[in-house]
Amino acid sequence: MTTHPNARFWDGIAERYAKKPLPNPAATARKLALTRDRLRPTDRLLDVGCGTGSIVLELAPHVAEAHGVDISRNMIAIAHRKAAAVGTANVVFHAQPAGTLDAFTDAQFDCVCAYNLLHLLDDSAALLQAMYRVTVPGGTLVTSTACLGGPLGPLFGGFLAVMRWLGKAPRVTVLRRDELRAAVADAGFVDIETPDVGDSAQNVFLMARKPRLELRQFR
């Protein structure tokens, strides 16, 4: 079976990535606190693009069941080690591309997260639609996304292309804030919020909700 290029990149840096300190721990702490505020002890949580499991393992004690998905088998192996080290038993890890989340059923999760993922996809809109599908009516979407579009977008794009050619960066899609918000709304989510968590201007933290009543049938 052919390995996806993105998987090869993340597999290659997994151990180094796991040792890197967070670039903005205070902002990450605020994101996690806002996410926890949306969770209940009976909830089921999905973290898409979970990497080495740091986020999902922080949130797992606040829910009944959690799942983490990542394209990199090496990242998932590290996530398993982390879970064993802290004794977390309610998280299931899946080494597979996010794709359309076909491994999961409709309305399976109360909260679906994608931290630092959507800008790494060729088709973030397709994943958002899949995330909508697997979220229960009234459930929560949480994302944190690098939005590098705007006046400096072409410069960022050129720099990232060179870094990718050198094997120093993954494929990155240059998104604008308004494009991200529109894609979330087009997927069907409502009550979209982008709270200020003290992160850099390029990193957009977004929370939204799936309507309790399926509105798209009336469109």
Side-chain angles (χ1 to χ4, degrees), residues 14-125:
E15 293 292 343
R16 298 196 306 276
Y17 182 87
K19 296 173 183 176
K20 286 176 58 178
L22 293 170
N24 192 333
T28 299
R30 284 190 281 270
K31 294 174 188 179
L32 286 169
L34 287 168
T35 305
R36 286 194 298 268
D37 286 345
R38 300 286 186 101
L39 300 176
R40 298 164 299 181
T42 56
D43 279 355
R44 294 159 298 173
L45 169 76
L46 174 64
D47 184 18
V48 188
C50 68
T52 63
S54 297
I55 295 295
V56 71
L57 290 172
E58 286 281 349
L59 298 174
H62 304 277
V63 297
E65 176 188 337
H67 291 254
V69 175
D70 199 89
I71 195 172
S72 167
R73 293 185 179 278
N74 290 355
M75 292 277 191
I76 290 296
I78 295 170
H80 278 295
R81 296 204 307 258
K82 287 184 176 181
V86 297
T88 300
N90 68 332
V91 181
V92 180
F93 290 106
H94 308 262
Q96 60 192 48
T100 55
L101 302 177
D102 289 341
F104 304 106
T105 59
D106 294 358
Q108 183 173 346
F109 298 101
D110 302 277
C111 180
V112 180
C113 302
Y115 279 79
N116 306 314
L117 173 67
L118 295 178
H119 57 287
L120 301 176
L121 304 176
D122 293 332
D123 192 351
S124 57

Side-chain angles (χ1 to χ4, degrees), residues 193-210:
E193 305 174 24
T194 53
D196 182 5
V197 294
D199 210 343
S200 65
Q202 290 79 24
N203 292 328
V204 178
F205 182 67
L206 182 150
M207 309 184 81
R209 181 177 60 82
K210 181 174 179 175

